[in-house]
Amino acid sequence: MDSALSDPHNGSAESGGPANGTARPPSTPEGIALAYGSLLLMALLPIFFGALRSVRCARGKNASDMPETITSRDAARFPIIASCTLLGLYLFFKIFSQEYINLLLSMYFFVLGILALSHTISPFMNKFFPASFPNRQFQLLFTQGSGENKEEIVNYEFDTKDLVCLGLSSIVGVWYLLRKHWIANNLFGLAFSLNGVELLHLNNVSTGCILLGGLFIYDVFWVFGTNVMVTVAKSFEAPIKLVFPQDLLEKGLEADNFAMLGLGDIVIPGIFIALLLRFDISLKKNTHTYFYTSFAAYIFGLGLTIFIMHIFKHAQPALLYLVPACIGFPVLVALVKGEVTEMFSYEESNPKDPAAVTESKEATEASASKGLEKKEK
């Protein structure tokens, strides 16, 4: 997981530009402000819209849109798995040819990026299709076994409109594959982030605190303790980060002096913010207090990260500032409102867990039977 915010201005080694020893001209204050502001805006978009879509996803019945629920055990393992993955990538880049590794990764993210971008733009594109558009339904179903032992491996439902979105996304994919242009990179990065916030659900606030706390330590160690994360971020030619050129005003779309923000700094706080939105809705008070508080906390934390990075001219572990803000602000509001117990007792079940589905059905049936008994009385 790439989770560092890098500031490659004034020709520093983090710029990812030519390695011919030629010093870059210093970035202008306007260019730096534009790059920072754009990164902040791009980070906010997938969190906001991903959180809204996560509510619909939690209520949906389509198997292809079912969220993946993260439990406390998953959260505790995640920093360890992420560390092993990061170190493995670092060793791969040190041992093997960077060119061939990035070629394989480009093909892998080419496919993933098209699927993610297609899923992202599908709700928006549906508004532009005329009512007379011939829309046919399709289902991709893979099963294992037979009879009572049959088990679904893949169950994906789509329609003709989705195929059109897939075709449009493929154009962006080819553009990224051939040019590695920063705009194509960002389109894929935004799609990955929005899908992550929408489809990855924390089962409760305690799990969110465990995940963010573990990745807080992970981020600080790999950025301040070693050069591993920054090295991987520079070497990894894949849309796992958002980038914006600081020399855009001088060079236009061919600019190449990039500031970057890892997708981990968007998705990890984003899924916690989305959880708080669903908690707000569960309170049935017609307010989104915790969502807006955590969203404002994210803006504050990322803004502080950018400020510190600009002052010290060094890549910063953004989660160092985002985690205390995103957890601290909502908990403080809960303390003031006397809703700490409600916040930490809020629980979401895994819709893919048969036991959870059974419990939900039993609860519904019990509720229905109580309603009938009241009517009979």
Side-chain angles (χ1 to χ4, degrees):
M1 174 192 296
D2 172 38
S3 197
L5 180 59
S6 300
D7 172 31
H9 66 285
N10 292 338
S12 73
E14 295 172 6
S15 61
N20 56 8
T22 304
R24 295 180 184 273
S27 300
T28 62
E30 294 83 2
I32 294 173
L34 178 62
Y36 288 163
S38 299
L39 284 177
L40 179 59
L41 178 61
M42 286 192 292
L44 295 177
L45 290 175
I47 291 178
F48 185 84
F49 290 105
L52 294 179
R53 288 173 60 157
S54 76
V55 176
R56 185 195 64 186
C57 179
R59 295 171 176 171
K61 297 180 180 179
N62 189 344
S64 60
D65 291 330
M66 282 293 182
E68 189 70 35
T69 303
I70 300 174
T71 65
S72 57
R73 179 179 294 181
D74 299 327
R77 290 174 179 172
F78 196 82
I80 300 172
I81 296 171
S83 295
C84 293
T85 303
L86 183 68
L87 184 59
L89 285 171
Y90 177 78
L91 295 175
F92 261 87
F93 280 118
K94 289 293 183 182
I95 298 171
F96 301 103
S97 171
Q98 182 175 320
E99 179 183 354
Y100 295 115
I101 296 174
N102 279 319
L103 179 61
L104 291 173
L105 292 172
S106 295
M107 295 302 298
Y108 176 69
F109 281 100
F110 166 75
V111 176
L112 287 185
I114 290 175
L115 295 174
L117 187 58
S118 176
H119 182 265
T120 299
I121 66 174
S122 181
F124 303 104
M125 291 298 297
N126 286 339
K127 300 176 182 178
F128 296 98
F129 288 103
S132 59
F133 183 82
N135 193 34
R136 300 181 62 183
Q137 300 293 323
F138 303 94
Q139 183 178 23
L140 185 63
L141 179 62
F142 287 99
T143 61
Q144 180 179 346
S146 60
E148 296 180 356
N149 297 323
K150 184 181 289 186
E151 179 184 358
E152 286 187 3
I153 305 299
V154 175
N155 186 359
Y156 189 77
E157 298 175 3
F158 58 98
D159 53 29
T160 309
K161 294 178 181 179
D162 292 326
L163 293 177
V164 173
C165 294
L166 192 66
L168 294 174
S169 302
S170 298
I171 297 174
V172 178
V174 173
W175 182 25
Y176 170 77
L177 196 62
L178 297 179
R179 296 289 306 276
K180 295 293 192 299
H181 198 278
W182 60 273
I183 295 179
N185 173 91
N186 287 348
L187 288 174
F188 276 171
L190 288 170
F192 286 140
S193 300
L194 191 146
N195 278 273
V197 175
E198 176 187 0
L199 299 174
L200 291 176
H201 288 196
L202 296 163
N203 66 344
N204 55 49
V205 173
S206 297
T207 298
C209 293
I210 294 171
L211 180 65
L212 267 66
L215 290 175
F216 172 90
I217 299 171
Y218 158 90
D219 214 16
V220 171
F221 174 77
W222 288 112
V223 174
F224 284 152
T226 71
N227 68 336
V228 171
M229 186 176 289
V230 175
T231 301
V232 170
K234 290 189 298 176
S235 306
F236 205 77
E237 292 183 6
I240 59 166
K241 55 186 178 288
L242 298 180
V243 298
F244 200 90
Q246 300 189 40
D247 52 350
L248 179 68
L249 300 177
E250 292 80 23
K251 296 185 178 181
L253 296 180
E254 298 304 317
D256 59 358
N257 187 18
F258 297 104
M260 65 182 72
L261 175 66
L263 298 190
D265 298 325
I266 302 172
V267 176
I268 299 304
I271 60 177
F272 187 74
I273 294 171
L275 172 68
L276 293 179
L277 173 60
R278 298 192 296 276
F279 169 63
D280 273 324
I281 293 173
S282 74
L283 294 176
K284 298 179 181 179
K285 295 183 178 180
N286 295 322
T287 60
H288 296 157
T289 305
Y290 295 102
F291 171 66
Y292 289 127
T293 299
S294 56
F295 194 73
Y298 182 86
I299 296 173
F300 170 78
L302 191 57
L304 181 61
T305 307
I306 292 172
F307 175 76
I308 298 294
M309 181 182 62
H310 184 65
I311 295 298
F312 290 98
K313 305 293 188 294
H314 188 277
Q316 295 294 313
L319 294 181
L320 173 64
Y321 311 97
L322 290 172
V323 169
C326 290
I327 293 178
F329 283 33
V331 170
L332 184 61
V333 170
L335 283 170
V336 172
K337 297 182 68 175
E339 295 178 340
V340 175
T341 303
E342 289 88 340
M343 174 184 281
F344 281 89
S345 62
Y346 174 69
E347 185 85 19
E348 289 188 354
S349 60
N350 185 354
K352 294 182 180 180
D353 184 0
V357 174
T358 303
E359 289 176 6
S360 177
K361 287 181 178 178
E362 290 175 351
T364 303
E365 290 171 359
S367 177
S369 63
K370 285 181 181 178
L372 288 172
E373 288 175 3
K374 287 181 179 179
K375 285 182 179 180
E376 289 174 357
K377 290 180 181 178

